Amino acid sequence: MNPAVRNALSVDVEEYYHAVVFREATQGISAHSFASRVEESVERVLALFARHEVRATFFILGEVAAAQPALIQKIAAEGHEVACHGDRHELVWHQTAQEFRADINRAKGLLEDITGQAVIGYRAPNFSIGRAQGWAYDILLEEGFRYDSSIYPILHDRYGHPGAPRFPYEIRRNGHGGLIEFPIGTARFWGVNLPFGGGGYFRLLPLALIRYGIRRVNAHEGQPIMFYFHPWELDPDQPRPPMSWHHHFRHYVGLRREAAKLSRLLQHFRFSTARDILGIQ
Ligand SMILES: [Zn+2]
């Protein structure tokens, strides 16, 4: 452990049925037929963070904020950073520039009205800012965002920018100022970026390996990791509609072990909000 380096801890606040794999697997079933479970699962996350006395960045979906304003106020009141995960979990590469602007503007305005605090961080649903969506960074700046955390510098079948920088850097500057990109955490082995930043990989890989990777980045490179997970990953009792083996594995693997695994991770490394690590006032 390198006590000098703090890592960024983040939570993408959405319902289990917003997850892209779940949505894809249950196509044709309306989201309205699934019961909301986000409140209970966020409460689990807040209790975990309180136990470890750690603050995190919550990238919150506008749709969830509209349904659960008191929950969002509680997140802010407990000292966490409230940031934006878009409005309805529509993937950026399925939106026009105008639709994207309307989506983030609505979600940001709602989160700011609820918390009374400026929202400056954004994470795209499923990291969906591809190479063809560079316009999104200009729009984020124009809409008052200061940082983005939507790039996962790995090779992946759905998202990923394997050659992108691995640590925070200015991805765009225009008349509205500079936008920092805080990529999801990777460790580099044998010239390849491996995923150590959370999500399904965290559920799948042994904790000892994840710890080794983060320690290596903190100690040898002197850099922070951006780590993320979802509240629904702490909810093993969520509905399990029929789906293909492949979808089932990707969505449900490791849910029962997730809480204990996160708890052990939080014991081993120092974490804080993205805003804090980036030093944005
Ligand atoms: Zn999401």
Side-chain angles (χ1 to χ4, degrees), residues 60-192:
I60 301 171
L61 209 57
E63 194 175 288
V64 169
Q68 305 275 353
L71 184 66
I72 310 313
Q73 279 167 346
K74 184 170 179 186
I75 292 170
E78 295 195 7
H80 302 293
E81 177 187 3
V82 169
C84 177
H85 193 38
D87 195 38
R88 301 170 60 83
H89 220 259
E90 295 297 336
L91 304 184
V92 179
W93 49 54
H94 290 166
Q95 297 180 59
T96 64
Q98 290 90 326
E99 287 166 344
F100 175 69
R101 186 189 297 277
D103 183 275
I104 60 172
N105 178 284
R106 181 178 151 79
K108 183 177 195 282
L110 186 61
L111 292 166
E112 290 180 341
D113 286 349
I114 292 171
T115 61
Q117 293 171 12
V119 166
I120 60 161
Y122 173 75
R123 173 168 296 145
N126 220 38
F127 311 118
S128 58
I129 301 182
R131 293 191 198 286
Q133 287 77 38
W135 42 261
Y137 303 119
D138 288 301
I139 295 175
L140 285 167
L141 271 172
E142 288 160 21
E143 294 296 325
F145 288 92
R146 304 279 304 280
Y147 75 90
D148 171 72
S149 181
S150 305
I151 290 186
Y152 209 155
I154 54 164
L155 207 54
H156 190 277
D157 62 342
R158 292 163 193 265
Y159 46 76
H161 298 245
R166 296 170 47 230
F167 304 117
Y169 64 103
E170 189 173 88
I171 193 166
R172 187 68 96 248
R173 175 162 286 276
N174 64 26
H176 294 266
L179 186 77
I180 306 292
E181 174 61 35
F182 199 150
I184 307 299
T186 56
R188 202 163 166 79
F189 292 96
W190 315 286
V192 178

